[in-house]
Amino acid sequence: MEVKDALIQYCLRLGDDAMIMGHRLSELCSNGPILEEDIAMTNISLDLFGQTRIIYTYAAELEGKGRSEDDLAYLRPEHEFQCALLTEQPNGHFGNTMARQMIFSVFYYHLFKELSKSPDESLAAFAAKSLKETTYHMRHACEWVVRLGDGTEESKWKIQDALNDIWSYHHELFEKDEVDEKLIDMGIITDTATIADDFYASVNEVIERATLGTPAGGWKATGGRSGRHSEYLGHILSVFQSLPRAYPDAKW
Amino acid sequence: MSSDNQFPQWEVFIQSKTGLPFKHAGSVHAADSEMALQNARDLYTRRMEGTSLWVVPTDSIVASNPDDSGSFFDPSNDKIYRQPTHYVMPEGAKNI
Amino acid sequence: MDDDKRLEAFQAKIDREEKIEPRDWMPEDYRKHLIRQISQHAHSEVVGMQPEGNYITRAPSLRAKVVLLAKIQDEAGHGLYLYSAAETLGITRDELLEQLHGGKAKYSSIFNYPTLNWADIGAVGWLVDGAAIVNQVSLQRTSYGPYSRGMVRICKEESFHQRQGYEIMADMAKGTPEQKAMAQDALNRLWWPSLMMFGPHDADSPRSGNALKWKIKRETNDELRQKFIDKTVQQAEVIGLTIPDPDLKWNEETGHYDSGEINWEEFYNVVKGNGPCNNQRLTHHKRAHDEGAWVREAANAYAKKQLEKSKVA
């Protein structure tokens, strides 16, 4: 595999994760537990779509086939998306959303810290910008996990269940295939294995503050990086892509 | 207060640039101080309005009574000697 | 001071264009009128998130999506500014929401109409926000300080909203025949409800008297509606869309557009709760509120524990 091809795929994965996560959060607009939280969710969603646009644009530029950010977002079929299954999982209740967001943000916080040192300047700049945003998303989600964990009895079991459920989806974020290997070999990205300790330390710290129990092992979700998704992605895309698909000649 | 409510109110003050005074921006609702800070950040600094934030429980603000405004503020009306323009400087004096 | 004297001083203050502040004396009717008007305004911003939110997941480009998200986020923010302003009058947000859920407080009827195609998102920005802006610009000069300050902030932030909507309409109108048809369809459906946003004719608007005397409102419903029509007609022409009013024509003498009569029966019907989406909107708001109860309870319980801990420490 050529380095350039690996980098294109890697950027698409970053973009797909951000886009599908951003989409899930965008579904929550006007559904938050308090109006202030609607603003918080849309803020995070906006940041993620901002990240999507930057990294898709870069991927398209590397690819050099004249595709745009919107071509990548709207005109690729389901199996060409390479997002982690975590991002596709439904919002559920507020605890589900926050547990998912915590895992996602903590992982990306540590990843972006490393990627911001990449010799690939565009990737490094993207990561540095995204790191600032993600630091805030992480803080927001972690504080909510703590509140729910150390809140009422009801909130405690709800967030514990949510955490247990979503835990199966965190492993995939650390997976590596030939795309990652190539870029690690070339020194362009960092091996996710090196951030695993930090990831678990961060999550455990929150779990402890939240007076929760460590989620148990069990089933490990996988498949997103090779285009094998949960059933949810098809539904997400059928909505997300509906207009450009229905009116291919239209410019919006 | 019932345990399900819209959270207590906090007043938000923003410093738009370092060196400038904090200015009252409005209020937010939040259950705790961290949430108040985050909500204030999300609501009042969406357009790069600030570099620093204060949040204060609304209950903690002590305000003067409008009925007292005469006794509070009018007495400074005739103390014009507190203004630099009250003083006559000798012609030609510089940097004063 | 007795109330007559206070009332006289209050009116004099308003006549001098000085703002009334929360702790100032005010007639009970002034307070009530403000609470009703500001809360209605706040609820409108919040319920208004729903028809626009209907297209967030389907926005046809990433740019369109972030713009729409940012706009709806602003509406939420404006709801918050306005709830805060209402709260300075001695009512809590819990009470305001109770009034909304109980049907006692209203919101703008325009949001009881559905958004049915992407051009509706354009029409909402262009017409609905356009109408709201005419009203809000006027309200920047309202006599109540916190309301006025809220309006100044809102007007500043909303300046992009109408442009966003008009841009969508313009793009659709010059797009494929299907897109143009969508744009015209959106205009056809939302034009009249937009005019209704300004409320009944002045002659049929019972509460306007005091509101104008106390400078809560600065211009009448009909004056504001006329302003909106006058500025919007030309904008429709520029992008080649037809306003669905056969009686619309320029009046040389008055220097304004004459327009056809609004279907007031429809207006009152929607206000009474019989619009296409009244039930849907309120049910949605109540559901989100109810589903969030355990979260708010948890946050309050957590805050209480933290407070107790800090006392012990």
Side-chain angles (χ1 to χ4, degrees):
Chain A
M1 179 176 257
E2 293 290 317
V3 183
K4 195 178 95 173
D5 293 331
L7 188 54
I8 293 169
Q9 293 310 312
Y10 189 76
C11 288
L12 285 175
R13 289 174 186 181
L14 292 173
D16 293 349
D17 273 1
M19 180 176 118
I20 301 302
M21 192 81 268
H23 171 85
R24 277 302 190 203
L25 293 174
S26 78
E27 292 175 332
L28 289 170
C29 197
S30 81
N31 290 294
I34 187 161
L35 192 50
E36 277 84 350
E37 203 47 40
D38 272 331
I39 296 182
M41 301 288 199
T42 34
N43 247 347
I44 300 174
S45 181
L46 275 170
D47 284 344
L48 291 170
F49 281 120
Q51 293 174 15
T52 307
R53 297 180 69 189
I54 295 173
I55 203 70
Y56 275 175
T57 302
Y58 182 46
E61 197 184 292
L62 287 170
E63 189 188 55
K65 290 184 189 159
R67 290 206 281 186
S68 68
E69 57 176 41
D70 284 334
D71 292 336
L72 292 172
Y74 289 88
L75 300 178
R76 278 183 302 154
E78 201 183 323
H79 66 267
E80 283 184 27
F81 275 82
Q82 301 177 48
C83 46
L85 269 47
L86 175 96
T87 63
E88 304 162 12
Q89 300 312 300
N91 292 320
H93 59 57
F94 189 73
N96 295 123
T97 304
M98 284 302 125
R100 188 189 61 199
Q101 199 60 41
M102 174 180 79
I103 303 287
F104 183 83
S105 306
V106 169
F107 173 80
Y108 268 106
Y109 168 77
H110 291 296
L111 184 68
F112 285 144
K113 254 169 116 178
E114 294 302 318
L115 289 184
S116 62
K117 295 179 245 166
S118 169
D120 184 289
E121 279 174 27
S122 300
L123 188 61
F126 162 78
K129 178 185 182 290
S130 305
L131 175 61
K132 285 187 195 167
E133 296 167 347
T134 307
T135 305
Y136 186 79
H137 305 167
M138 177 171 75
R139 177 169 169 175
H140 176 262
C142 290
E143 290 302 321
W144 267 114
V145 170
V146 171
R147 282 185 200 106
L148 298 178
D150 197 13
T152 63
E153 242 176 80
E154 182 188 5
S155 70
K156 192 186 197 76
W157 67 254
K158 276 190 162 152
I159 189 67
Q160 184 71 62
D161 275 359
L163 208 54
N164 294 346
D165 286 346
I166 205 70
W167 195 243
S168 292
Y169 293 88
H170 87 277
H171 310 280
E172 192 185 4
L173 298 168
F174 290 91
E175 279 178 8
K176 279 172 293 199
D177 62 9
E178 74 275 13
V179 168
D180 304 84
E181 304 289 359
K182 183 82 199 173
L183 295 173
I184 293 167
D185 284 350
M186 301 304 293
I188 293 173
I189 66 166
T190 317
D191 189 335
T192 48
T194 63
I195 61 166
D197 286 349
D198 290 336
F199 170 85
Y200 289 114
S202 297
V203 171
N204 284 333
E205 193 198 316
V206 178
I207 287 176
E208 200 172 306
R209 276 181 62 213
T211 67
L212 292 169
T214 312
W219 177 66
K220 294 179 181 177
T222 183
R225 302 305 187 205
S226 52
R228 297 186 178 189
H229 293 278
S230 63
E231 288 178 349
Y232 300 116
L233 184 68
H235 290 279
I236 290 174
L237 293 180
S238 69
V239 172
F240 196 108
Q241 301 180 333
S242 57
L243 281 171
R245 295 277 194 193
Y247 304 98
D249 300 330
K251 286 199 182 68
W252 304 95
Chain B
M1 206 192 268
S2 128
S3 61
D4 171 24
N5 55 46
Q6 292 288 304
F7 300 154
Q9 202 176 359
W10 304 67
E11 297 304 318
V12 180
F13 299 82
I14 301 180
Q15 187 183 37
S16 60
K17 266 202 313 208
T18 53
L20 292 179
F22 282 72
K23 213 172 137 189
H24 184 238
S27 61
V28 289
H29 286 227
D32 55 63
S33 54
E34 169 69 19
M35 196 193 293
L37 261 187
Q38 293 189 12
N39 290 347
R41 177 261 193 193
D42 286 345
L43 182 58
Y44 290 105
T45 66
R46 299 198 301 284
R47 289 172 167 81
M48 300 170 287
E49 289 99 331
T51 55
S52 189
L53 278 174
W54 288 347
V55 288
V56 183
T58 302
D59 288 351
S60 304
I61 304 266
V62 182
S64 63
N65 189 326
D67 288 346
D68 294 337
S69 72
S71 61
F72 257 57
F73 308 114
D74 289 353
S76 60
N77 279 351
D78 62 352
K79 314 271 192 309
I80 49 172
Y81 43 78
R82 290 194 173 115
Q83 312 296 335
T85 48
H86 178 69
Y87 301 90
V88 184
M89 292 293 100
E91 194 118 346
K94 283 180 186 166
N95 300 322
I96 185 161
Chain C
M1 244 199 283
D2 59 37
D3 276 3
D4 283 351
K5 282 255 174 61
R6 282 174 183 272
L7 185 61
E8 215 172 284
F10 170 83
Q11 189 64 51
K13 203 170 176 186
I14 285 177
D15 293 342
R16 289 194 303 272
E17 293 288 328
E18 281 177 37
K19 299 292 181 216
I20 305 299
E21 292 296 337
R23 292 167 61 95
D24 290 343
W25 183 88
M26 59 187 84
E28 211 35 46
D29 278 349
Y30 179 81
R31 184 186 300 276
K32 276 192 194 147
H33 190 109
L34 273 171
I35 289 177
R36 187 174 54 234
Q37 182 171 330
I38 299 174
S39 71
Q40 179 170 338
H41 200 158
H43 296 322
S44 300
E45 298 277 359
V46 173
V47 175
M49 293 164 69
Q50 292 181 40
E52 289 189 278
N54 184 34
Y55 266 92
I56 287 181
T57 56
R58 289 177 289 172
S61 73
L62 291 174
R63 176 178 179 267
K65 195 181 287 280
V66 294
V67 169
L68 183 59
L69 262 172
K71 177 169 183 283
I72 300 174
Q73 184 187 47
D74 273 352
E75 318 287 9
H78 299 167
L80 285 179
Y81 300 158
L82 287 159
Y83 283 134
S84 298
E87 282 175 294
T88 63
L89 292 158
I91 188 162
T92 65
R93 207 203 289 176
D94 290 278
E95 290 169 309
L96 293 168
L97 290 184
E98 240 173 69
Q99 292 181 354
L100 174 69
H101 293 163
K104 205 179 144 210
K106 302 282 183 217
Y107 54 86
S108 181
S109 281
I110 188 78
F111 302 119
N112 289 320
Y113 292 86
T115 48
L116 299 177
N117 78 53
W118 173 249
D120 285 34
I121 300 306
V124 168
W126 176 38
L127 302 175
V128 177
D129 286 330
I133 288 165
V134 169
N135 193 26
Q136 287 164 355
V137 164
S138 175
L139 283 172
Q140 291 183 99
R141 295 187 297 125
T142 188
S143 59
Y144 187 57
Y147 193 23
S148 160
R149 289 192 285 278
M151 279 301 123
V152 169
R153 204 181 173 99
I154 288 173
C155 284
K156 213 164 86 189
E157 297 189 351
E158 289 228 342
S159 51
F160 93 79
H161 293 190
Q162 202 193 4
R163 284 165 166 249
Q164 171 259 1
Y166 189 54
E167 185 187 79
I168 291 175
M169 285 307 257
D171 286 345
M172 297 286 280
K174 66 166 192 260
T176 63
E178 280 160 321
Q179 283 177 299
K180 181 159 189 185
M182 285 186 223
Q184 186 61 53
D185 175 49
L187 176 57
N188 291 350
R189 278 181 289 106
L190 289 168
W191 172 253
W192 290 105
S194 299
L195 296 189
M196 294 176 198
M197 283 175 71
F198 296 96
H201 282 313
D202 298 345
D204 306 318
S205 186
R207 293 194 195 107
S208 286
N210 272 342
L212 288 165
K213 186 177 85 187
W214 288 333
K215 299 189 180 173
I216 295 175
K217 287 178 71 164
R218 301 305 305 251
E219 287 161 284
T220 71
N221 295 351
D222 286 331
E223 284 165 358
L224 293 166
R225 184 166 21 239
Q226 189 65 54
K227 268 192 189 175
F228 172 71
I229 294 172
D230 288 346
K231 76 187 183 102
T232 309
V233 172
Q234 187 264 349
Q235 293 165 2
E237 279 167 7
V238 167
I239 58 175
L241 295 178
T242 310
I243 287 178
D245 178 358
D247 298 324
L248 192 73
K249 63 169 185 292
W250 178 250
N251 185 327
E252 230 15 279
E253 249 168 68
T254 59
H256 295 291
Y257 280 94
D258 293 334
S259 52
E261 194 46 67
I262 289 167
N263 181 347
W264 292 110
E265 200 187 319
E266 177 183 329
F267 172 77
Y268 287 110
N269 212 13
V270 180
V271 170
K272 268 188 239 146
N274 302 321
C277 298
N278 293 61
N279 189 33
Q280 181 188 342
R281 301 289 185 239
L282 209 53
T283 303
H284 177 120
H285 195 279
K286 276 190 214 158
R287 180 190 47 73
H289 179 80
D290 292 345
E291 286 175 0
W294 71 274
V295 177
R296 296 188 296 272
E297 280 168 7
N300 277 325
Y302 172 77
K304 211 169 138 199
K305 285 184 203 173
Q306 293 305 106
L307 199 68
E308 277 157 15
K309 267 189 211 162
S310 71
K311 274 182 195 153
V312 174

